[in-house]
Amino acid sequence: MQPDFDLLKSQLHGDLFTDNVQRVLYSTDASQYKELPMAVARPRNREDIQKIIAFARENGTSVIPRGGGTSLAGQVVGSGIVVDLSKYMNKILELNTEEKYVVVEPGVVLAELNQTLEPHGLLFGPETSTANRCVIGGMLGNNSCGLHSLIYGSVREHILEVDAILSDGSEATFRQLTQEEFQHKLNGNPNQLEKAIYQNIFNILSNPGNQKEIREKFPDPKLTRRNMGYAIDSLLNSEIFTPGGEPFNFCKLLAGSEGTLAFSHRIKLNLLPLPPKYKGLVCAHFETLEESLEGNLIALKHGPGAIELMDDIILQCTKENIEQRKNRFFVKGEPGALLMIEFACETEEELKAKAAALENDFRTAGLGYHYPLVTGAANIKKVWALRTAGLGLLANIPGDRKGVPGIEDTAVAPEYLPAYVADIKKVLKKLGLTSVYYAHIATGEIHFRPLINFKDPADVKLFDQLMNEVATLVKKHRGSMSGEHGDGRVRGKFIPYMLGEHNYGLLKSLKKAWDPENTLNPGKITDTPSIIENLRVIPGKTTPEYDTVFDFSRYRGYLRSIEKCNGSGDCRKSEAIGGTMCPTFMATRDEDKTTRGRANILREFLYSNEKENPFDHREIYDILDLCISCKACKAECPSNVDMAKLKAEFLQHYYDIHGIPLRSKLVAYLPRLNRLAMPLRPLSNFMMRTTLLKKTIGIAPQRNLPSLSKITLKRRTGNGIPLPETPSKGKVYLFNDEFTNYNESDIGIKAILLLTKLGYEVKIPTHKESGRTFLSKGLVRTSQKIATENVQLLKDIVSEKTPLVGIEPSAILAFRDEYPELVDKGLQSEAEKLGQNALLFEEFISAEIEKGNITPEQFTSEEKQILLHGHCQQKAVASTDPTKTILSLPKNYSVKEIPSGCCGMAGSFGYEKEHYELSMKIGEMVLFPAVREAEERVIICAPGTSCRHQIKDGTGKQAQHPVEVMYEAIK
């Protein structure tokens, strides 16, 4: 019988969902697994968790705790009730700086916690690469480590107390116990389940035979990254079972238990002082990977804080990326591998001495050929960016073969790494596979990511064979199949082999004692399903192909462009972390408003489609409705998933079936409607302000629609543009975009006057509108026609010497971003060339400043302060750096960029009545408060027209375009 979820929903303070969309959203994580849950819950408090567990027990189902959903081993995939703690249970409850501890709810994000701690000179030590979105509860479940595990260890070493709900709904607090307190738990405990779990661990670990098996079969104690099974080996070292051992604390067992034993709701963490401020990276260059493995052992003797490995495959990938080429500033020659070795010292002299001593040891051993010391926060950040960027490029390899999790988490003691890697290479060669080698070499964990195609049944068998063969190697070197990513579904199978059947029996008895009815996250660690069951894709099923308007051939089609999303959840970072992706998630903390969530819905409904037209899915339409097409995911997602492009394509096909909504049609055709309205401008502007019109077309009554200018820019320049009075420095073509032409022609005039006064000949060529309004509303075929006409009109006149310069970022950047994938293949190379020479106004001026053609002496010496809000698409496709460069050119102008993401207006999005509230909420996260707090004399600057309108509506302040600021500043 189907459980009565309506009854449960009525009992919860939080949320409960049973609809298909939410279930699909939570059916997968960052692993290759997928399983549809019965329901999704978002509890607000401890009582909600207790009710959910009770309901699950009564109805014979399970509870799957979930945080950020970034797990790589399928830990949060299951058929029961997925319980998302990140939405509401994310508060810091107590901070004690004197005793150096903090108490948090499990949904607190690690990076946000450390932001709070930093002003107090403290931090929570373990740090994962997912720090900007992973939560403390998930870190506890996985026993996470991270970059600096060499000095900070894992979460297990830093958990002081855990308040948890047991599988029977009772409450328990786990903390450090004296021997007397432990005995009380055994003998005087009124909580029968809690008493049983203490009795169980006592029976297991007091048995000499069990002790011998554990000490002989668990991973080498020298290995710090050892996450296989339950940590009974750690508890064995407590004073209850080992004389002179450390105090007993069940928190050590909960760390790495993946939510299978108890449901944590309050966690007390140990805090550490911030590291010394003088940091440096010795970036040692080696001829071969094997040399770097030996070099690691030498580097470890010098007491570094971290050592990271980067192989030649990743280094080669970084050459292909314009941004990452800049980050290769320290790379010399063609190294076979790099070691990034970090030191943190009290003085600069100490740092240099450590680096020199390490280099001397490398040279004495005949290892490496170049050992630069990189210092300064900006440069160190570039080095780490280089280390991670190549992996993103690898994730973008076209086709169905992906670098899948499986053997990526194996670890052996560092001294065994050279032999272990040699063995791994032999296995990969035998199976016809290649892999990259990277990550945490200091602690014996190298991430291997062979490319596997789970759509191919032969590759599925190959994956199973690979896992089995690697398990043999790991056992040979007494390592761990899981170093930091957990067992989950992908590695749990190997626990009996790795630890022995006897020890596995102990783990199963422990699980049974804690969770007699198998309610808590079953199928993880013990009794796991086959590693090739419940995959995201169906082996042998053909990937659907679709005829599209955009060219998706680079990634072999529309669906494969969606499948680039690997579930890593980078789109779940908050406004406190910074960046732009994903503004709707930042404002709501809802999974269905992430890029990942939208990709999951697109993939599932298209891949499993049974309808005649695969695009005929209202579920997809609804989930994409709140994608504001900011383009941030194209830049900030490590897989560069371009959700705005995917959305536009979907809408075109959806409208082919259901027709174009009136408001969407009006917004798309607005430039052409404005042309018709210009002769009746006063009446048109009056009508745009009326409540009746707004109500009729679905515009928020609080909004003021953009007014038409007194005269269009095209008409104002109809008689030609005067030549500069001084010798010409060159010719530029000004793109008279549809927003500047009709709504802000005064900015266009100022741009022309400014360029002319600076010595440039300005021409407005014949062209069409940019097509941005059509793109934003999914009228992609019309956009394609516009793009084709514009490329044909401009390709023969626009060049590097005579660039096309634009005022509105969303318009001019269409040439660079969308046009090359919109026009026919025969015109693509011309479109790409045109896009390279289609520049933002700020990009052109900045380049001329760099050439020495524009100087500070041409501008005022008056003192001004400028607060800049960058345009979303500018941040994604270009950069705000040129804007900051030109605004700071006048010698006494200072510029500060607001660390805001999207303003919230996003073209027409914020004008639409059903989106108004969310739009303003996005603005209120960072942008509005920063603008309100600025002194009246501070100039608010925003290149985007919709951004300026949003700032006006949200704060009452008038923002200026950079053109206006520079026009006022020129002498």
Side-chain angles (χ1 to χ4, degrees):
M1 189 173 71
Q2 180 72 12
D4 186 358
F5 284 109
D6 287 338
L7 175 63
L8 176 60
K9 187 173 184 177
S10 69
Q11 296 173 346
L12 298 179
H13 295 94
D15 310 320
L16 185 73
F17 305 99
T18 56
D19 61 279
N20 199 37
V21 168
Q22 291 294 330
R23 291 166 63 214
V24 167
L25 287 170
Y26 285 86
S27 65
T28 188
D29 51 11
S31 72
Q32 56 262 31
Y33 298 106
K34 183 190 76 175
E35 191 169 1
L36 204 64
M38 295 180 73
V40 176
R42 300 192 304 201
R44 287 184 180 269
N45 49 42
R46 179 188 71 240
E47 292 79 11
D48 277 357
I49 296 172
Q50 287 176 304
K51 289 170 184 174
I52 293 165
I53 292 174
F55 181 87
R57 289 176 66 242
E58 291 166 7
N59 288 276
T61 187
S62 61
V63 173
I64 302 108
R66 175 177 169 128
T70 59
S71 46
L72 290 163
Q75 290 97 317
V76 298
V77 175
S79 61
I81 305 170
V82 172
V83 183
D84 181 357
L85 297 160
S86 66
K87 170 78 173 181
Y88 300 120
M89 296 189 69
N90 52 22
K91 300 173 188 66
I92 298 174
L93 302 174
E94 180 187 355
L95 171 60
N96 189 316
T97 56
E98 290 185 7
E99 297 184 33
K100 293 185 174 60
Y101 71 78
V102 65
V103 180
V104 301
E105 290 183 316
V108 168
V109 173
L110 172 61
E112 294 178 32
L113 172 63
N114 276 332
Q115 279 185 347
T116 301
L117 298 174
E118 186 176 12
H120 303 282
L122 299 169
L123 85 161
F124 179 61
E127 53 174 331
T128 65
S129 60
T130 57
N132 63 4
R133 70 263 192 203
C134 77
V135 301
I136 298 298
M139 293 183 70
L140 171 65
N142 264 9
N143 187 36
S144 300
C145 298
L147 179 69
H148 292 96
S149 62
L150 189 60
I151 51 176
Y152 295 139
S154 66
V155 168
R156 185 170 289 135
E157 283 81 57
H158 300 279
I159 299 290
L160 302 176
E161 288 184 16
V162 171
D163 286 355
I165 310 298
L166 301 182
S167 64
D168 66 349
S170 62
E171 299 179 43
T173 296
F174 299 105
R175 59 177 177 81
Q176 185 174 295
L177 299 178
T178 64
Q179 295 193 49
E180 292 76 15
E181 288 172 325
F182 185 90
Q183 287 300 318
H184 178 75
K185 292 288 185 183
L186 291 176
N187 302 318
N189 195 341
N191 184 328
Q192 291 303 305
L193 182 55
E194 186 181 10
K195 181 178 180 179
I197 63 179
Y198 277 95
Q199 189 65 58
N200 170 264
I201 200 66
F202 182 76
N203 293 343
I204 291 173
L205 297 182
S206 60
N207 182 305
N210 291 343
Q211 292 182 358
K212 184 173 182 293
E213 282 285 321
I214 292 167
R215 290 196 166 107
E216 289 181 354
K217 301 289 178 63
F218 266 68
D220 190 336
K222 295 194 298 292
L223 179 63
T224 56
R225 289 172 175 263
R226 45 214 299 269
N227 259 9
M228 287 216 77
Y230 297 118
I232 56 176
D233 57 330
S234 181
L235 292 182
L236 179 57
N237 293 326
S238 69
E239 61 185 358
I240 305 296
F241 309 106
T242 301
E246 58 192 17
F248 181 91
N249 191 337
F250 254 142
C251 293
K252 294 184 180 296
L253 183 72
L254 293 179
S257 65
E258 301 179 8
T260 62
L261 302 181
F263 202 124
S264 307
H265 66 85
R266 178 184 174 277
I267 305 169
K268 185 177 181 180
L269 308 172
N270 171 59
L271 302 178
L272 300 169
L274 290 171
K277 68 175 183 176
Y278 290 96
K279 290 184 180 179
L281 290 176
V282 175
C283 298
H285 293 48
F286 300 90
E287 298 286 357
T288 66
L289 174 67
E290 286 70 23
E291 267 196 16
S292 72
L293 300 175
E294 298 295 338
N296 176 56
L297 300 178
I298 290 176
L300 283 169
K301 297 175 184 178
H302 290 259
I307 310 176
E308 290 288 293
L309 170 69
M310 188 175 183
D311 76 356
D312 58 336
I313 298 176
I314 299 175
L315 281 168
Q316 288 299 321
C317 286
T318 63
K319 286 184 177 181
E320 306 304 316
N321 183 278
I322 295 172
E323 286 302 310
Q324 294 311 321
R325 281 203 293 267
K326 298 174 186 176
N327 293 337
R328 291 173 55 94
F329 65 94
F330 65 96
V331 179
K332 181 178 180 181
E334 299 291 340
L338 288 176
L339 291 182
M340 287 86 161
I341 306 156
E342 184 181 85
F343 294 106
C345 303
E346 296 295 342
T347 66
E348 188 175 355
E349 291 72 23
E350 182 189 357
L351 175 62
K352 289 180 178 178
K354 278 183 175 287
L358 176 59
E359 179 178 343
N360 182 65
D361 280 4
F362 279 147
R363 292 189 182 279
T364 301
L367 296 173
Y369 64 88
H370 185 49
Y371 321 90
L373 173 62
V374 177
T375 58
N379 283 335
I380 289 174
K381 185 177 179 180
K382 287 180 182 179
V383 175
W384 290 133
L386 187 77
R387 213 287 266 150
T388 58
L391 303 180
L393 294 172
L394 285 172
N396 284 330
I397 294 174
D400 292 327
R401 285 198 160 215
K402 305 293 181 185
V404 299
I407 66 169
E408 94 295 344
D409 199 32
T410 60
V412 301
E415 58 264 38
Y416 303 145
L417 267 180
Y420 175 59
V421 170
D423 286 343
I424 286 281
K425 282 190 166 186
K426 290 175 185 175
V427 169
L428 292 172
K429 184 178 180 180
K430 183 180 80 171
L431 299 178
L433 297 170
T434 58
S435 178
V436 294
Y437 301 81
Y438 67 96
H440 319 303
I441 189 172
T443 46
E445 175 151 349
I446 295 180
H447 291 334
F448 309 100
R449 285 274 186 144
L451 298 179
I452 299 286
N453 177 15
F454 282 127
K455 296 178 182 179
D456 182 350
D459 265 24
V460 174
K461 291 179 181 177
L462 187 66
F463 175 71
D464 193 35
Q465 183 181 352
L466 172 68
M467 291 293 291
N468 283 287
E469 296 212 20
V470 170
T472 303
L473 298 182
V474 175
K475 186 172 184 178
K476 171 185 172 181
H477 296 284
R478 209 181 166 192
S480 175
M481 286 293 285
S482 172
E484 62 177 345
H485 298 162
D487 294 317
R489 305 166 76 111
V490 75
R491 285 177 283 270
K493 161 191 172 179
F494 300 98
I495 295 174
Y497 171 73
M498 296 296 298
L499 304 183
E501 289 291 348
H502 181 87
N503 284 333
Y504 184 61
L506 299 180
L507 301 186
K508 289 187 69 172
S509 75
L510 184 143
K511 166 68 173 174
K512 185 72 174 177
W514 283 73
D515 186 18
E517 297 182 33
N518 210 23
T519 303
L520 300 176
N521 207 11
K524 318 303 182 322
I525 301 180
T526 60
D527 297 317
T528 57
S530 165
I531 65 172
I532 56 176
E533 285 182 12
N534 299 118
L535 297 172
R536 281 194 192 189
V537 295
I538 300 171
K541 180 175 179 177
T542 303
T543 302
E545 303 282 352
Y546 309 110
D547 290 327
T548 58
V549 184
F550 272 112
D551 180 9
F552 290 94
S553 62
R554 181 181 176 189
Y555 295 105
R556 302 185 186 175
Y558 186 71
L559 187 56
R560 288 186 177 91
S561 295
I562 297 165
E563 290 175 334
K564 288 200 302 174
C565 173
N566 61 15
S568 63
D570 296 68
C571 44
R572 285 181 57 93
K573 65 185 189 307
S574 76
E575 72 280 3
I577 302 301
T580 302
M581 180 180 71
C582 178
T584 50
F585 173 79
M586 290 179 178
T588 64
R589 303 292 178 104
D590 292 338
E591 176 69 19
D592 63 359
K593 296 172 186 66
T594 64
T595 305
R596 176 176 73 178
R598 293 169 184 129
N600 278 337
I601 293 298
L602 274 164
R603 181 184 61 244
E604 179 64 19
F605 281 91
L606 293 177
Y607 185 73
S608 305
N609 173 66
E610 296 180 354
K611 293 189 175 185
E612 182 179 348
N613 190 321
F615 292 94
D616 188 12
H617 285 287
R618 180 74 192 193
E619 297 92 339
I620 302 177
Y621 181 84
D622 289 341
I623 213 79
L624 292 179
D625 180 55
L626 293 182
C627 167
I628 61 179
S629 301
C630 66
K631 285 282 182 176
C633 48
K634 179 168 183 171
E636 296 180 26
C637 168
S639 303
N640 304 126
V641 174
D642 189 346
M643 190 52 63
K645 178 181 170 185
L646 294 168
K647 174 183 177 179
E649 184 71 42
F650 170 81
L651 287 177
Q652 178 66 78
H653 295 276
Y654 189 81
Y655 292 156
D656 288 345
I657 304 164
H658 298 282
I660 306 169
L662 174 62
R663 186 179 63 194
S664 294
K665 193 176 291 186
L666 290 173
V667 170
Y669 282 90
L670 186 61
R672 299 178 188 184
L673 294 173
N674 281 341
R675 185 179 64 209
L676 298 175
M678 278 304 295
L680 301 171
R681 187 188 69 84
L683 177 60
S684 300
N685 283 341
F686 171 78
M687 290 297 296
M688 296 283 268
R689 291 191 292 269
T690 62
T691 304
L692 178 61
L693 178 71
K694 293 178 187 178
K695 187 175 181 179
T696 302
I697 62 175
I699 300 297
Q702 302 93 328
R703 290 295 188 190
N704 295 307
L705 291 167
S707 299
L708 294 170
S709 297
K710 290 182 180 179
I711 186 171
T712 64
L713 181 60
K714 183 177 181 180
R715 187 175 172 190
R716 290 182 75 168
T717 57
N719 294 326
I721 298 170
L723 295 173
E725 296 178 1
T726 56
S728 175
K729 296 175 182 175
K731 181 194 289 186
V732 299
Y733 290 105
L734 183 68
F735 183 68
N736 183 15
D737 68 80
E738 52 268 43
F739 310 103
T740 303
N741 186 44
Y742 292 111
N743 305 110
E744 296 177 319
S745 62
D746 55 322
I747 297 177
I749 289 297
K750 289 176 180 176
I752 292 169
L753 293 174
L754 177 60
L755 287 167
T756 304
K757 196 162 187 179
L758 288 171
Y760 299 92
E761 182 184 352
V762 182
K763 297 286 186 184
I764 296 180
T766 300
H767 63 74
K768 304 286 288 184
E769 66 262 63
S770 71
R772 175 58 60 196
T773 56
F774 293 96
L775 283 167
S776 72
K777 287 303 171 187
L779 277 66
V780 184
R781 288 196 191 92
T782 306
S783 306
Q784 185 182 52
K785 293 176 183 176
I786 293 169
T788 300
E789 286 191 61
N790 274 334
V791 173
Q792 290 173 335
L793 286 167
L794 299 169
K795 65 183 177 67
D796 295 327
I797 61 171
V798 172
S799 66
E800 187 177 356
K801 289 185 177 180
T802 55
L804 184 68
V805 176
I807 294 169
E808 167 56 33
S810 65
I812 192 66
L813 291 176
F815 285 86
R816 196 180 306 178
D817 187 18
E818 288 96 352
Y819 279 21
E821 294 170 331
L822 270 176
V823 300
D824 291 337
K825 283 191 179 295
L827 205 56
Q828 281 184 351
S829 61
E830 298 286 357
E832 287 172 5
K833 182 182 175 184
L834 177 59
Q836 291 168 5
N837 296 307
L839 307 178
L840 292 165
F841 176 86
E842 300 98 291
E843 288 177 319
F844 172 74
I845 298 295
S846 178
E848 292 300 295
I849 292 170
E850 193 173 338
K851 293 174 186 175
N853 292 335
I854 301 174
T855 65
E857 288 70 32
Q858 293 172 275
F859 294 87
T860 182
S861 59
E862 189 180 352
E863 186 176 323
K864 295 280 186 183
Q865 292 181 10
I866 301 166
L867 199 57
L868 171 67
H869 167 72
H871 188 279
C872 289
Q873 290 176 340
Q874 178 183 6
K875 294 172 189 173
V877 181
S879 171
T880 58
D881 287 346
T883 309
K884 289 182 283 187
T885 296
I886 73 164
L887 291 175
S888 58
L889 179 65
K891 63 176 95 177
N892 290 317
Y893 275 32
S894 63
V895 185
K896 180 181 178 183
E897 185 171 7
I898 302 170
S900 49
C902 179
C903 72
M905 186 68 90
S908 67
F909 179 87
Y911 287 99
E912 295 161 359
K913 63 179 181 181
E914 70 273 24
H915 299 147
Y916 172 77
E917 186 177 339
L918 178 57
S919 168
M920 298 304 281
K921 192 172 182 181
I922 293 170
E924 288 290 357
M925 290 189 297
V926 178
L927 177 60
F928 292 170
V931 172
R932 291 190 195 108
E933 290 167 12
E935 296 179 16
E936 286 301 320
R937 62 189 179 89
V938 173
I939 298 170
I940 309 300
C941 183
T945 181
S946 61
C947 304
R948 294 192 294 277
H949 282 278
Q950 176 78 327
I951 290 169
K952 178 68 173 177
D953 287 354
T955 69
K957 292 189 177 183
Q958 185 66 53
Q960 296 182 34
H961 191 284
V963 163
E964 297 176 281
V965 178
M966 297 305 288
Y967 176 78
E968 292 297 326
I970 196 167
K971 289 180 180 177

